[in-house]
Amino acid sequence: MGLNVAVIGIGHVGLVTAGTLARMGHTIVGIDDESAKIEGLMAGRVPFFEAGLSDLIRAETGAGRLRFCSHLEAAVAGVDVAFICVGTPGRSSGEPNLLAVEGVATALGRSATRDMVVVEKSTVPVETAKRIATVLARASRHTFHVASNPEFLREGRAVQDSLRPERILVGANTERAHEVMRQVYEPLIAAGVRYFATDVATAELAKHACNAFLALKISFANGLARVCEASGADVVTVADVMGSDSRIGRAFLDAGLGWGGSCFPKDLAAFRAQSARLGYHFGLLEEIQKLNEEALQATFGKIKEALWNLEGKRVVLLGLAFKPGTDDVRAAPALRLARRLIESGASVVGVDPRAGPAARSQVPALEIAEDAYAAAAGADCLVLCTEWPEFAALDLSRLKGMATIPILVDARNLFDPAAVADAGFAYLPTGRPARP
C-alpha cells in the first residue's frame, strides 16, 4: 500500500524524487513556493531538461499519483513522510546556507496534523538532522522522526539513477523511521537494490565523502594530465591502465577542463568547512580544489599560446553545460573559461544542444550560435568544452573549412587525434601529445 508523501522543493532533486516516488506507487504532492514553477508543472511544463523527466511527470500526474501545490500548510495535512529537497547554496565561508531548510522545518511543525517522518534529502552538513528535530519540536506537539536520505543522482541520468539506483542510504536514529523508509523504497528493495540502514550522522557524512572522493579522482586525472603533457605521455592510456585495476576503477579518471555543476563545488567547500568546525584540517580537500582550478588555467593557457594575442580573436566553445545530458550551467567550466577569454579581449561564441539560453543569462557577453558549423564561421580557435555526442559526430573537414585559423583545443579528449589531424586542424588535446 502506497504512502502519502510530500516533496518540498521542486528543483533538480525534488522533481525527480517526486516523479520516481509516484512511479513506485505512492501518492505525492510536490510543494514549492515559486508559484510560476508550480503553474508550469500543472500545465505539463518541466522547468529544466533532464532525460526522461518530462514523460515521467506527465505520466504520473495523468495517473493521479502526483500533484503540485505552492501552499505547504494545506498540502501536508495527512502526510506520512515529508522530504526536504530545498536548495542549500554555499556561503562565502564554505558553509551551506540552511535558512530554507530551517524555514521548511518550522512550517512543517506548525502545519502537521499527525506524527510523521521528515527526511532531509538536500545535501547538508553532519548534525543538521539534530537542528531539524529541534525546530520541529519547538513548533509542534506531534512526534517527528528525522531521517537522512541523501541522493546520489547524476544529472543527465537522474531518472534512471532514481528508478534503478546502485544503493539506497537511509540514516535514522529510531526504528520507526527505518520502518517507514523501508516502506517508501519497498519496490526497489524487493528488486534487489542494496539498502544501507545507518545512524543519521553516518548518512549525512557519507554523501559529502562520496562527492569529495569523486572530485578527487577527477582532479587527480587533471594533475596527471599536466605531467603527461610535460613528458609526452598519453593520459588516456595511463588512465586506462589505472582503471584496469579493480581497486581503482576507470570511472571519473578522465582528464579535462575540470569539474563543475551544483554539487561538487558546493559539497567540497561544505565538507572542508564542516571538517574544520569539527576540529580537523582536511588539507587534501584544498588540493582537490587547487587542481581543478589548474585544469581550467591549463586550457586557457593552450588557447592563449596558440593565438598569441587574444584581443579581437573569435573563440568558439563547443559545449556550455557542465556535463552532457543537461542544460545545467551552474559552476560550468565552459562559462568560467568564457569569462576569462572575454576579459582578455576575445570574442567568444558558444554552442550547446541544450544549455544555450541558460548560458546567455549567466554570461550576457557570450554570443550563442545555433549549431557548431555556424559558430565556426570565421573562428580563430575551437575549444571542445562539453563532450556531447552531437559534437563527436561533427564533420571535421567541413568544420575546418568554416574556420579562419584551424585550431582545435580538445579539453575533454573527445576526438580521435588522427581524424582531427587528417581534417587539417592543429590539434591540442588534454594530457596527450599535440598534433600541430
Side-chain angles (χ1 to χ4, degrees), residues 215-273:
L216 168 64
K217 289 189 73 174
I218 298 171
S219 286
F220 182 90
N222 288 333
L224 184 62
R226 308 287 82 77
V227 179
C228 288
E229 288 173 351
S231 64
D234 186 327
V235 73
V236 175
T237 304
V238 173
D240 288 342
V241 173
M242 293 175 63
S244 68
D245 188 326
S246 61
R247 298 169 299 174
I248 299 174
R250 184 61 176 81
F252 287 80
L253 279 179
D254 291 313
L257 191 58
W259 39 262
S262 64
C263 292
F264 283 5
K266 176 175 68 70
D267 291 353
L268 188 69
F271 197 22
R272 287 172 58 188

Side-chain angles (χ1 to χ4, degrees), residues 5 19 21 40 42 73 90 92 100 110 121 128 161 164 174 187 214 235 253 260 277 316 318 329 362 369 374 378 417:
V5 180
L21 289 178
M42 292 173 65
E73 291 77 9
S92 58
R110 292 172 177 170
K121 193 75 169 173
T128 298
D161 287 346
R164 292 181 290 278
T174 67
L214 292 175
V235 73
L253 279 179
R277 177 171 55 83
V316 174
L318 301 176
V329 296
Q362 294 294 315

Side-chain angles (χ1 to χ4, degrees), residues 358-404:
R360 182 187 286 114
S361 70
Q362 294 294 315
V363 187
L366 176 66
E367 178 187 339
I368 302 297
E370 291 300 317
D371 61 64
Y373 302 111
D380 298 296
C381 181
L382 304 175
V383 186
L384 189 285
C385 296
T386 311
E387 61 275 33
W388 286 93
E390 289 88 337
F391 296 141
L394 288 170
D395 182 334
L396 294 174
S397 296
R398 179 183 173 192
L399 202 66
K400 186 260 182 183
M402 305 296 293
T404 299

Side-chain angles (χ1 to χ4, degrees), residues 289-362:
Q289 178 65 46
K290 178 183 175 183
L291 287 166
N292 196 54
E293 295 298 327
E294 289 175 356
L296 187 77
Q297 174 58 36
T299 300
F300 177 80
K302 283 190 181 77
I303 300 166
K304 191 173 187 302
E305 177 66 21
L307 294 179
W308 189 15
N309 296 299
L310 290 173
E311 291 87 350
K313 298 297 196 308
R314 179 180 173 87
V315 180
V316 174
L317 304 184
L318 301 176
L320 301 169
F322 86 94
K323 64 179 290 187
T326 180
D327 60 358
D328 195 346
V329 296
R330 288 175 291 180
L335 296 196
R336 292 165 54 214
L337 179 62
R339 292 186 183 97
R340 290 205 59 181
L341 291 167
I342 291 168
E343 290 168 359
S344 299
S347 173
V348 182
V349 185
V351 59
D352 190 285
R354 292 285 179 177
R360 182 187 286 114
S361 70
Q362 294 294 315

Side-chain angles (χ1 to χ4, degrees), residues 8-10 14 17 49 80 165 194 220-221 265 289 315 347 378 383 419 422:
I8 306 164
I10 304 299
T17 299
F49 174 75
D80 302 303
R194 188 174 184 184
F220 182 90
Q289 178 65 46
V315 180
S347 173
V383 186
D422 289 346

